[in-house]
Amino acid sequence: MGMNEVQHGSADARSEVAVAYLALADGELGHAARHLGSAFAAEPELPEAHQALAELAAAAGGALAALEWFPTDEAYSGIVGCMAHLYAAAGFWDAAVDRLGAVIGAEPERGWAQVAWLARPDLAGLVSPEAVGRAVAAVTGGLPEGPAPAGLREAVGPFRALVAAVLERHPEHTALLTLASVLARRLGEPEAAVRWAEQALAVCQAEIAQDPSDLDRYVDVAEVYQRTGRPAEGLPWLDRVLDIDPAHPTAGPAVHALRHAAEGGGTEHLLALSDHLREYPDHGYAGHLLAELCDGVPWLGHVHPASEASLGVLHRILADPAAAPGSGIELVGSHLEPPSTVLAVRMGLPRSGIAYKCVPLPDPRLPQHEVGTRLWEFDGPAARPALDPPSRPAAELVRQVASVGWDAPGAAYDHAVRLSGLSLGDLLAVCVHPPLPRDSAQGAYLLGRQPELWVRAVQTFACLGIAHHHADEPWRASRRRAVLTDLLFGPEDWVNEAAGFALLATAWADPAAREEVGALLTDRMTAVGLAWQERDATILASLCRLVLGCPWVERGVREVAARMLAAVTRYET
C-alpha cells in the first residue's frame, strides 16, 4: 500500500511533539521516535518537530545512532521523513535524498521538500546522480500525468532545483537526464523536458557512433524515447538489436513495454512480458518492467478496491479521532450487499451489525450455476459463514502470506505456492473467517482505516492457494479448477472476484488454461452485468477488469467489458 498515513493538522503535530519530549525526558527514545514520526506525518514543515528530532539525535549519541530507534519495517511517511533528515544530519547524502524522494513521491503536494538541507548550494556535489535518479523516479511516480497545479509545483520546487544542479555537474548521465525529462513534463515545463530528452539522446547516439557493437546503448535510446512520451520512435532501435540478438536480455522485454506505451495500454503486451519472463526467468529486466507497468492497476498490481455503501460509513467512523477504540455501529442498508462486507465492518468495528431492508432482484444470494461449494448460508438477507473457522496454523500461514499488492499476476501466483500444502477446507474457511492483519505499521493502517482491503487480500490469497491445490492434476479435470469455478459462480460476493483473479493468474502462468478461463470470466461478467441493469452489483467493475486482463479474449468482448467498466465507474462516482 505504500506510505499511507492519515493527515492531521498542526494541533495534532504539536501534541505529538509534546509527547515525544516527555518520552525523551524519561529516556524512552523509541517511544519518542514513534511520536516524532506521527508529528512529521501530520506536518512535515513544523519547526518544533525538526528541533525535537535534533534533540533526539543528541540524546541518542548522534544522528546515525538515532536511526536505530526508527523501525525500518514501518514505511509510513513520517518515519521515512525522519530517517531522511537524520541521514542528512549525518552527512549520508545519498540515503537522505533517496528517502526524501520516497516521501515526496508518496505525498507530493505536502511540504517534504521545504527543508534547509535540500537547499544547500554544495549538495549537488555531495550526492550521486544514481541516488538522485532513484529519488526522481519515486517523485515522478507520485505526480499526475498532466501538468501539475501551481501548488504542487511549488511544493516540489526545491527538489526539482537539486535535480537541475546535479545535471549541470553530470551532463552526460543519460538515466538521470531521461528521468529529469519526465519530471519536467509532469511539472508543466515542456522546454526543460525536451531539452533534457534531446541531451540524453545525443549522449546515447554519440556512444553508439563510437562503438556500434554495444547493443545496450540502442536499448538506452529506445527507452529515452519511451520515457519521454515517444515510444513509437524507440521501437526501430530495439528491432535493430533483436535482428542481431533475438534473445537479448533487455531489448526483448523492452519491446513489449514500448509497444504497450505506443498502443495506449491494455494487457496484451503485459501478458507478453509475463510470457517472456516465464521463458527467460534469468531476464530480471522483464520482471522489473512488468512490475512497473502493473503498479497501481487493480488486479494487475493489487487487490481491487471495494465500493459498498456501508464501507463509506465505516471509513468515516474509523477516520474520526473522537471515535472510541472498539466502538460499534448498527447499520441499516436499503439493499443487500455482498456478505463479505460484513466481515470488513466487523473487523474494523467488532461490535457492529448490518441489517438490510430488502433483497433486490435478480436475487444476489443465488448462484449463477449449480455449485458444489458453499461459503455462506442465508436467513433472509442475513448471511453467516457456512464453514467452521480454519485451523489456527492455517489461518496464521495465510495471515503471513496474504498481501494487498504484488508485482504482477504471475508474481502473486508464485508467492501463493506457500499455501499449497493447506487443505481445501482450511483455504475455503479462511475466506469467511479471515485472520487479523499482521502486526506491522501497514497491518495497523489496514485494521484501523481500510479493513476491507485486508479481507480482500486474505480471500485473494486463499483462492490463489486453491489454485495450487494438487497442482499435479491436469487442469481440466482438477479439483482446484472445480472449486475456483464454484466460487466464481456462487452468490454475489467478494469471493467471486478473488476466485476470478486466481483463475486469471493461473491462465497467465499456464497458456493451456487461457481459453477456458477467459470464457468463465466472460460468462460471470455478462451475468452480473445483466443484473446491474436491474439493481446495484458492486462486484461488476472488478469482473470487468478481470476480463480486460485476458487479452486472448475476443476484442468485441473486451470492448463490452471496457464500456461496462466506464458506465459502472461513472455511476459509482
Side-chain angles (χ1 to χ4, degrees), residues 304-308 456 492 497 524-546 548 559-573:
H304 197 285
S307 61
E308 284 73 20
R456 293 169 75 81
E492 281 185 32
E497 306 168 53
R524 187 58 172 145
M525 177 196 72
T526 302
V528 176
L530 290 172
W532 183 74
Q533 295 180 11
E534 305 295 330
R535 57 162 171 81
D536 197 11
T538 54
I539 68 171
L540 180 56
S542 177
L543 294 172
C544 290
R545 286 194 170 96
L546 289 171
L548 291 172
E559 289 174 350
V560 169
R563 288 196 298 271
M564 280 202 295
L565 177 60
V568 172
T569 303
R570 287 194 301 270
Y571 174 79
E572 291 179 348
T573 56

Side-chain angles (χ1 to χ4, degrees), residues 14 32 37 123 179 327 567:
R14 288 188 169 87
L123 183 58
L179 290 164
S327 61

Side-chain angles (χ1 to χ4, degrees), residues 3 67 80-81 83-84 87 94-104 135:
M3 287 177 289
L67 282 164
V80 179
M83 295 175 73
Y87 275 120
D94 280 9
V97 169
D98 219 354
R99 283 155 181 79
L100 192 67
V103 290
I104 294 172

Side-chain angles (χ1 to χ4, degrees), residues 340 343 372-376 385-391 394 398 419 422-434 458-459 461-467 469 479-480 482-488 493 495 499:
S340 291
L343 299 178
T373 306
R374 288 189 311 116
L375 296 184
W376 298 102
L387 304 172
D388 292 332
S391 68
V398 173
L419 303 174
L422 297 182
S423 69
L424 273 178
D426 276 336
L427 289 168
L428 290 168
V430 83
C431 289
V432 290
H433 297 284
V458 167
Q459 292 173 338
F461 275 85
C463 288
L464 286 168
I466 294 170
H469 180 73
R479 179 67 174 148
R480 64 189 186 279
V483 172
L484 288 174
T485 303
D486 278 352
L487 297 180
L488 175 67
D493 187 45
V495 177

Side-chain angles (χ1 to χ4, degrees), residues 207-221:
E207 292 173 345
I208 289 172
Q210 290 181 353
D211 182 8
S213 67
D214 188 353
L215 299 182
D216 289 340
R217 290 289 168 257
Y218 293 77
V219 179
D220 290 342
V221 171

